[in-house]
Amino acid sequence: MIKEIIKGCRKRRRESQKKLYQRFYAYGMSITLRYADSRGEAAEILNDAFMKVFNNISSYDTDRPFKPWLRRIIVNTAINHYHKHENDRQQVDFELVEHEMGQRQDILSGISYDEIVEMVQQLSPAYRTVFNLYVIEGFKHREIAEMLNIAVGTSKSNLSKAKKNLQSIVEKNFS
Amino acid sequence: MSNQDKNSDPLEEFFREKSQEYDIEYHEEDWQKLEARLDQADQQRRQQRRRWIAAAVIAMLFAVLAYITYDQQLKINELNDELSNQENITTLPPSSDSTDDQSTDPTKQTENEADLLTKKTEQEPNKATNDPSQQSRKDSKIATGQNKDFKQNIEQQSNSTFDISTIEFKEKSLAIAKASPGFDGRSPAISAIKPTNFSGTENTKVRQFPSSPPNNSVQLAAQRRAPRFTIGVLVGPDLSTVGGMSNFYDPGYKFGVSFEYNLTQNLAISAGAQRTMVRYVASGSEYSPPQGYWSYGVVPDKTVGECILIDIPISLKYDVKHFRHSRLYATAGLSSYIMLDEDYKFRYNQSNSSNLKQRWHERTGTTHWMSNATLSVGYELDLSQTLSLRAEPFVKLPLQQVGWGNVNLYSMGTFVSINYKLH
C-alpha cells in the first residue's frame, strides 16, 4: 500500500501526495510539536518537511522502512527552522528548581501527551532542541553539537537546564 | 543516534515514553497550505521545462542552420574547383595538330570548344590528365562522336552573331547555379570570357580573369534573383514583461504570416498578422485597471496576465550584408495589437484575501493602434531560388499602454520563418 502511494508521489500525483500526508500527519506533528513554539509553527515545519519529502521521493529506497526516513527529514527540517529563527528569539530561562523528579512519579503519571508537549514548548528553543535531540531522538552530545553548531559542553549544559526547567514546570502546574 | 536505554533518568524515560502516545487530529487546512505550495512548485517546474524546451528548439534550429550553411559551402567549393578546371581547359593553348584548323576555321573551333565543355561536365575533375593538350585531343575525338546532335545545332547557329562558346558557358554556369543557390555570382565572370578568337594573345587575356568573381558579381546575382514579393509563415516564442526588460514570466508564442515587397534591392516593406499568446506578471503599481475596480481599494501584490492578441506589424527591412546564398538584415517598424482574450489573476500577500478580486477574464477585442515599436535583426538563408529560412530575434517596446490593465508591454523572442519568393 505504502509502496503504491510512494509510486504515485514519484509521478507527482496529487492524490497520492495527499494520502501520504494524511497517513503520516499525526506522526510528523508529534515530532514537530516538540520543536515548535506553537501548533501553527509545528504545521509549518511539517509542511516544509513534506515539501522536501515530495521533492526527494525519488531518492527514497522503497526496500527500507519509510518512517525513519521521514523522521530524519522532519528532524533536520526542525533543526533548520531552529537555525533560521535563532536570532529572532529571546532566550528565556526559567528559575532552576532543585527538586528531583525521580521522587515525583505519581505526579508524572497523570500528565497527558498534550500537556507534555505544552511543557516542552515552554522551554526556550535552545534547551528544547537539545532536549528533543538527546532524550527523544537519541543523538549523542557530540552529534547534537555538530548539528546545532554549538560546543559539546553547551549541549550538555542545555540539556541539564532543560530538565531542570521541566521539573520546575511540573512542580508549578501539577503538584 | 545512540541507544539511551541505559540512561535511568526517570524524567527522560517519562518523556521518551509519553512522546510515543500521540493522538493528533488531522487538519485539512494544513494540507491545503501544502497543496498551494505544491501547485506553485509544479508551475515553476513546468515553466522551467518550457524554457528548456524553447532553448533546445532554438539551439536545434541554429544547429540546422549551421549544418545547412556548412553543407552549402562544401558544395560551392566543389563547384568552384570544377569550374576552375573547366576554365583551365577552355583557355589552354591549342595543340599543334589542331592549331591551324582552329585559327582558320571558327566553326571547327567552336565545335571543339563545345565538345570539350560537354565532355568535361561528364568527367570527374580529378580524372583530368596532366597533359592538357593530349587530354584536349582525346576529348575532341570522343566527344565528336557522341554529340553530333549538339554540334548540328551549333552549326545551324554558326552564321548568327551569337557567340556559341559563350552561350554554352552560360548554360553550364546556369546549370551549376541551379544546383547551388547563390552560385550565380560566378556566371557573370564566365560569360565575360570571349572565346571567338582563340589565338595565343586572346588566351593570355582569358587567363587574366580572376578565379573568383568580382565583388559586384554577388550584388548582380542578388539583383537577378530578387523578386518583388515574398510571403512567409513564421513561428516563435514570445517572452513578455511589463514595466521594463526584466522579470520575464512563462513564455508565450507567436505564429502568423508576413508579406514583403522589395522597394529596392536592399530595402523592403513588410506587413503581417501574428496570433500571439502573451504571458506576464505585473506588480501592483504596473497594472492599472479602470478606477474603482479593486475591492476596498486593495491592490493585488501581483497580477498574472495571459492574453491572446493579434499583432499587426508594419516594418521596413534592410539587407545589411549579402553573402552568396544568405544575408543579414535589420528591421524597424510599428505594431498594432488587437486584444482577443484577456485573462488576469490577482495574487495578494495577505492571508485573508478571499473577499478580494481574484480574477478578470473577458474577450475584449479592443485595438491599440501603433502601440509598440518593433526592432529586429535576422539572418536569411536561401534553401532554393524561391524558398528561404529566416531566424529573426526581435524586441517590441511600448509606445502606449495596452490591454484592460493598461500596461506597458515589452516583448522579445525569435521568429523562425519559411519564406517563398514570388517571381
Side-chain angles (χ1 to χ4, degrees):
Chain A
M1 181 65 183
I2 182 73
K3 284 190 178 180
E4 282 301 309
I5 293 172
I6 286 169
K7 210 172 161 185
C9 289
R10 281 180 173 162
K11 291 176 182 172
R12 299 192 185 281
R13 286 187 187 143
R14 192 65 82 242
E15 65 271 26
S16 301
Q17 289 174 331
K18 189 174 183 181
K19 275 181 193 168
L20 192 77
Y21 186 78
Q22 282 173 325
R23 182 178 267 225
F24 293 99
Y25 177 84
Y27 175 71
M29 281 296 277
S30 76
I31 300 167
T32 57
L33 274 168
R34 285 185 281 105
Y35 287 88
D37 285 330
S38 62
R39 199 187 187 287
E41 195 181 346
E44 196 185 317
I45 296 170
L46 182 72
N47 283 0
D48 285 349
F50 265 98
M51 282 297 288
K52 288 179 188 171
V53 167
F54 293 139
N55 285 334
N56 298 287
I57 194 80
S58 55
S59 66
Y60 166 66
D61 182 0
T62 46
D63 293 335
R64 295 186 171 195
F66 181 74
K67 257 190 176 180
W69 189 70
L70 175 65
R71 186 183 190 91
R72 184 72 196 220
I73 288 174
I74 292 171
V75 170
N76 283 343
T77 309
I79 292 167
N80 289 343
H81 193 83
Y82 164 78
H83 282 304
K84 216 158 96 181
H85 298 94
E86 210 169 2
N87 298 326
D88 305 342
R89 287 166 169 147
Q90 287 180 341
Q91 300 241 344
V92 182
D93 290 350
F94 288 88
E95 219 175 279
L96 298 181
V97 182
E98 298 299 326
H99 296 296
E100 284 297 323
M101 288 303 292
Q103 298 164 4
R104 310 301 299 254
Q105 285 294 334
D106 52 330
I107 299 173
L108 292 177
S109 59
I111 300 174
S112 69
Y113 173 81
D114 289 345
E115 288 166 335
I116 289 287
V117 167
E118 219 169 283
M119 282 196 289
V120 172
Q121 284 181 348
Q122 284 183 47
L123 293 174
S124 73
Y127 296 173
R128 184 170 62 214
T129 307
V130 171
F131 180 81
N132 278 323
L133 290 173
Y134 185 85
V135 176
I136 314 295
E137 318 299 346
F139 286 105
K140 293 175 183 171
H141 281 299
R142 186 178 45 79
E143 293 169 318
I144 295 167
E146 279 176 17
M147 282 190 273
L148 302 181
N149 294 327
I150 55 173
V152 174
T154 309
S155 176
K156 286 178 180 174
S157 162
N158 283 357
L159 176 68
S160 170
K161 287 173 184 171
K163 283 158 72 174
K164 283 175 181 170
N165 283 348
L166 285 172
Q167 285 170 12
S168 166
I169 294 164
V170 170
E171 283 290 320
K172 209 159 94 181
N173 296 301
F174 301 100
S175 59
Chain B
M1 291 186 204
S2 66
N3 188 353
Q4 293 177 0
D5 289 343
K6 59 184 178 182
N7 193 329
S8 58
D9 187 329
L11 183 76
E12 290 182 20
E13 276 298 319
F14 169 74
F15 273 94
R16 208 172 291 135
E17 279 170 22
K18 278 285 179 186
S19 68
Q20 306 304 317
E21 296 172 11
Y22 59 88
D23 179 22
I24 298 166
E25 196 185 343
Y26 171 72
H27 285 204
E28 180 67 18
E29 61 264 28
D30 289 340
W31 163 252
Q32 284 169 354
K33 283 178 191 167
L34 180 63
E35 192 176 27
R37 288 174 66 181
L38 288 168
D39 287 344
Q40 206 176 351
D42 285 351
Q43 197 182 0
Q44 282 172 352
R45 207 170 288 113
R46 278 196 297 272
Q47 285 170 18
Q48 204 171 9
R49 198 183 305 142
R50 280 192 204 125
R51 284 191 200 109
W52 275 112
I53 290 169
V57 167
I58 290 167
M60 206 171 74
L61 281 169
F62 275 105
V64 168
L65 280 175
Y67 173 75
I68 292 169
T69 309
Y70 174 72
D71 192 49
Q72 292 289 320
Q73 195 60 47
L74 281 182
K75 283 178 185 169
I76 288 165
N77 289 344
E78 281 174 17
L79 290 164
N80 276 344
D81 292 344
E82 197 175 333
L83 202 64
S84 298
N85 288 337
Q86 283 180 358
E87 280 178 22
N88 288 338
I89 292 162
T90 308
T91 56
L92 281 173
S95 58
S96 57
D97 58 348
S98 62
T99 306
D100 292 338
D101 290 346
Q102 284 177 346
S103 59
T104 53
D105 187 350
T107 311
K108 272 192 176 179
Q109 179 197 323
T110 51
E111 280 177 20
N112 285 340
E113 183 60 26
D115 291 345
L116 267 173
L117 284 168
T118 311
K119 180 61 190 165
K120 200 61 203 168
T121 52
E122 291 168 358
Q123 284 186 330
E124 292 292 324
N126 57 5
K127 286 182 183 172
T129 61
N130 290 332
D131 186 345
S133 60
Q134 281 179 4
Q135 184 63 39
S136 174
R137 281 196 299 273
K138 203 174 171 183
D139 289 346
S140 297
K141 285 173 188 172
I142 296 164
T144 305
Q146 291 176 340
N147 297 291
K148 283 181 180 173
D149 293 343
F150 184 65
K151 278 191 284 182
Q152 280 171 1
N153 286 338
I154 292 172
E155 281 168 2
Q156 284 168 5
Q157 294 174 14
S158 61
N159 292 329
S160 70
T161 55
F162 286 113
D163 182 332
I164 295 164
S165 183
T166 306
I167 291 166
E168 177 62 12
F169 252 122
K170 281 180 177 175
E171 285 173 356
K172 288 288 168 195
S173 60
L174 281 172
I176 294 163
K178 277 176 185 173
S180 167
F183 188 70
D184 307 24
R186 174 64 70 173
S187 54
I190 297 164
S191 61
I193 298 169
K194 293 177 181 175
T196 48
N197 185 355
F198 270 81
S199 66
T201 316
E202 194 63 34
N203 286 339
T204 309
K205 282 180 185 173
V206 169
R207 280 199 193 94
Q208 286 170 351
F209 281 102
S211 59
S212 60
N215 287 338
N216 62 352
S217 64
V218 175
Q219 289 174 354
L220 288 170
Q223 259 182 338
R224 195 190 306 160
R225 65 167 180 271
R228 284 293 189 190
F229 285 100
T230 304
I231 57 170
V233 179
L234 56 90
V235 67
D238 176 281
L239 280 171
S240 289
T241 181
V242 296
M245 291 294 285
S246 61
N247 194 26
F248 288 99
Y249 187 56
D250 221 3
Y253 61 81
K254 275 181 180 289
F255 70 85
V257 291
S258 67
F259 306 93
E260 196 174 292
Y261 179 76
N262 279 5
L263 300 170
T264 66
Q265 185 197 336
N266 288 327
L267 188 67
I269 186 166
S270 74
Q274 298 153 13
R275 184 184 164 89
T276 306
M277 163 69 88
V278 170
R279 293 190 178 102
Y280 67 84
V281 174
S283 66
S285 59
E286 292 162 344
Y287 189 80
S288 316
Q291 210 167 4
Y293 173 73
W294 302 123
S295 315
Y296 316 109
V298 179
V299 178
D301 297 287
K302 204 163 77 172
T303 297
V304 179
E306 199 171 284
C307 302
I308 297 171
L309 56 95
I310 300 288
D311 180 353
I312 304 170
I314 297 173
S315 58
L316 285 173
K317 171 175 164 280
Y318 185 76
D319 291 346
V320 178
K321 190 163 177 62
H322 284 277
F323 304 103
R324 289 198 173 183
H325 55 284
S326 62
R327 58 209 62 83
L328 282 173
Y329 62 89
T331 78
L334 296 167
S335 278
S336 301
Y337 289 168
I338 301 172
M339 310 301 290
L340 298 181
D341 188 284
E342 297 179 60
D343 188 0
Y344 305 109
K345 295 183 184 78
F346 310 120
R347 308 264 166 83
Y348 302 86
N349 283 343
Q350 63 190 77
S351 54
N352 187 19
S353 60
S354 54
N355 54 342
L356 301 174
K357 294 279 171 41
Q358 300 294 324
R359 187 182 180 189
W360 190 91
H361 179 212
E362 209 166 280
R363 297 191 170 186
T364 46
T366 50
T367 306
H368 303 276
W369 294 107
M370 309 299 176
S371 59
N372 284 61
T374 305
L375 300 169
S376 71
V377 289
Y379 178 74
E380 181 175 23
L381 177 72
D382 293 329
L383 300 176
S384 71
Q385 280 192 320
T386 53
L387 277 178
S388 69
L389 185 67
R390 289 180 191 174
E392 185 181 327
F394 67 87
V395 61
K396 287 176 185 283
L397 306 168
L399 300 176
Q400 54 175 282
Q401 293 179 326
V402 296
W404 183 75
N406 297 305
V407 293
N408 288 312
L409 190 65
Y410 294 77
S411 301
M412 61 188 289
T414 301
F415 290 132
V416 177
S417 62
I418 293 279
N419 299 277
Y420 182 75
K421 292 161 188 168
L422 299 170
H423 286 272

